Amino acid sequence: MADRLANGDNAVRVIREWRDMIQGELAAAVGISQNYLSEIETGRPQRARRICSGNSPARWAVPIDLLIE
């Protein structure tokens, strides 16, 4: 896992896969669509950037917090 993170792989995807979760499971757990999670993991700028900026920075932390509990 550390190697993948060091190589620049998406942290949400790496930790999700390490926890043996599929996108649908994580998306349902945090209340977003699977498509939206896919955009986060692939770094598509339009929606992923909105998650990380503006009034909703905590929303970005939800998947990470859920995965590493």
Side-chain angles (χ1 to χ4, degrees), residues 22-39:
I22 60 173
Q23 281 186 342
E25 291 171 329
L26 178 58
V30 298
I32 61 174
S33 72
Q34 183 177 348
N35 287 341
Y36 198 18
L37 178 59
S38 177
E39 290 180 16

Side-chain angles (χ1 to χ4, degrees), residues 1 3 8 15-16 19-21 29 37 39 44 49 56-58 60 67:
M1 180 172 71
D3 290 340
I15 296 170
R16 175 183 57 78
R19 294 292 302 242
D20 201 27
M21 296 178 81
L37 178 59
E39 290 180 16
R44 291 193 188 120
R49 196 174 299 141
S56 61
W60 174 248
L67 288 170

